Amino acid sequence: MDTALEFRLLNEFQRDFPLCPAPFAELAARLGVAERVVIRQLETLRQAGKISRVGAVFAPKRIGASTLAAMAVPAAQLASVAAAVNRFPEVNHNYEREHAYNLWFVVTAGSEARLQATLGAIESAAGYPILVLPLLEEFHIDLGFSLSGDAKTVRATARPLAEPVPLGECDRRLIGVLQEGLPLFIRPFQVIAERIGLSESDVLRQIGAWLEAGAIKRFGVVVRHHELGYTANAMLVQDIPEARVGELGRALAEAEGVTLCYRRPRVLPHWPYNLFCMIHGQDRTEVTTRIAELRQTLNLEDCAHDVLFSRTRFKQTGARYA
């Protein structure tokens, strides 16, 4: 495999992917290689697990409904409970983390009613109560995941939840196909259009409109961190005074090493934390050191916090809204 080409595909095209009838030809022209080489390289990366797909990353709660959820499961039961949770197609991420709440998963659905019904069904199947932690405010703007260590150059802004984008039947069919990833063919949008009974131009126009509206956060290569050598990641959760959440959320979102940053509700007395961020690194020491630096730099030593390192990855797929 051409490692230089692999790096450029992984690092440069996580967003700003060309929305045109022949996107892989456009990528090839930018990279100075043949179109078939780009398609073959992306397929190789997908088969190796380094990317999950090429396609849309939908914004939480702009298309359908979603929430982060957690359970406290006895260690002896963890694998079987995780398997029960994984059987729900609405669950797209499911991880063991180091905490009394040791099973963390994301649930997505086409509507809030469907989401609540799914949470109830998961709780019944698993046999343990669910801690539900929906997104309240987003601070990270999702620049993708830099593999070159480049510092962030865009300022983060707090984004309160906007109203969900209204969806028609054609929209739902398009989402159903997009969540599978872009077909690795010469005219991928034409393939999608034929599957759902639209024109290629209609498909491209709708994807562009969703990007402009913020319903799609980015469109491009979706990388898998662990397979790319970033084997350590932790969720830093902190109890921040409400008056400072916006200020500190923006500061954390702009900080090097932070890949996600959100405000979520406290659920007292079980869960006192309201500001969440994710830090990835190549080993545990790197992540631990970065967290200590962040808390010192932002004068957060007096704020209660916890660090939940990921352990077992039980499931990682794209969100399922349709």
Side-chain angles (χ1 to χ4, degrees):
M1 178 180 284
D2 185 331
T3 55
L5 177 61
E6 174 186 342
F7 180 83
R8 291 194 65 188
L9 282 171
L10 291 170
N11 197 54
E12 297 178 21
F13 299 105
Q14 294 179 38
R15 58 189 303 110
D16 301 326
F17 187 86
L19 293 179
C20 61
F24 301 119
E26 174 64 25
L27 290 185
R30 296 184 197 179
L31 293 166
V33 298
E35 180 183 29
R36 66 180 182 279
V37 172
V38 169
I39 293 174
R40 184 171 64 245
Q41 195 96 1
L42 287 170
E43 177 60 27
T44 300
L45 289 169
R46 190 189 64 78
Q47 290 183 0
K50 294 183 177 181
I51 66 174
S52 61
R53 65 191 185 283
V54 178
V57 176
F58 289 100
K61 293 201 167 185
R62 295 302 310 281
I63 298 286
S66 65
T67 191
L68 178 66
M71 286 181 183
V73 182
Q77 303 299 319
L78 187 61
S80 61
V81 171
V85 172
N86 284 353
R87 283 196 284 270
F88 289 83
E90 293 88 352
V91 173
N92 58 83
H93 284 61
N94 190 8
Y95 283 83
E96 177 190 5
R97 296 192 182 279
E98 296 175 0
H99 192 268
Y101 282 102
N102 55 350
L103 191 65
W104 290 79
F105 50 97
V106 176
V107 185
T108 59
S111 67
E112 185 64 30
R114 178 65 182 171
L115 177 67
Q116 295 304 319
T118 301
L119 289 169
I122 292 172
E123 194 169 72
S124 178
Y128 295 94
I130 296 177
L131 182 71
V132 180
L133 299 164
L135 173 66
L136 298 178
E137 195 170 16
E138 180 182 10
F139 300 104
H140 196 274
I141 58 175
D142 194 7
L143 300 173
F145 188 82
S146 175
L147 304 180
S148 60
D150 295 339
K152 298 175 185 177
T153 57
V154 180
R155 292 189 63 80
T157 57
R159 297 198 298 188
L161 291 184
E163 288 297 314
V165 174
L167 301 176
E169 182 56 35
C170 287
D171 297 329
R172 294 184 186 281
R173 291 203 304 269
L174 178 54
I175 290 168
V177 176
L178 285 178
Q179 65 193 13
E180 304 293 340
L182 204 62
L184 297 179
F185 294 106
I186 292 174
R187 297 286 292 266
F189 298 108
Q190 181 63 43
V191 174
I192 289 174
E194 291 173 356
R195 286 182 60 183
I196 61 176
L198 293 177
S199 69
E200 182 181 55
S201 60
D202 285 340
V203 168
L204 287 166
R205 187 180 306 112
Q206 186 58 72
I207 294 172
W210 281 335
L211 276 165
E212 185 174 352
I216 293 178
K217 296 176 71 171
R218 61 183 174 90
F219 195 103
V221 177
V222 181
V223 302
R224 292 167 67 93
H225 309 122
H226 191 277
E227 283 75 7
L228 292 174
Y230 292 83
T231 57
N233 73 81
M235 184 169 69
L236 169 64
V237 294
Q238 302 181 96
D239 180 9
I240 304 296
E242 291 300 326
R244 296 195 66 200
V245 171
E247 163 206 346
L248 292 171
R250 289 188 294 273
L252 281 167
E254 293 169 7
E256 183 181 352
V258 175
T259 53
L260 294 169
C261 190
Y262 299 116
R263 180 167 71 91
R264 298 183 183 276
R266 298 181 180 91
V267 182
L268 299 175
H270 309 291
W271 187 260
Y273 307 113
N274 60 343
L275 187 60
F276 294 57
C277 65
M278 289 297 304
I279 296 94
H280 287 75
Q282 295 185 331
D283 58 49
R284 188 183 183 104
T285 300
E286 179 185 348
V287 173
T288 301
T289 301
R290 185 63 189 132
I291 289 172
E293 291 171 348
L294 287 170
R295 284 180 49 79
Q296 182 178 39
T297 300
L298 298 174
N299 298 315
L300 294 172
E301 290 95 337
D302 293 334
C303 294
H305 78 291
D306 217 330
V307 178
L308 286 71
F309 271 94
S310 296
R311 297 185 68 184
T312 307
R313 181 176 63 186
F314 292 113
K315 189 176 186 180
Q316 182 185 3
T317 65
R320 312 287 297 186
Y321 294 99

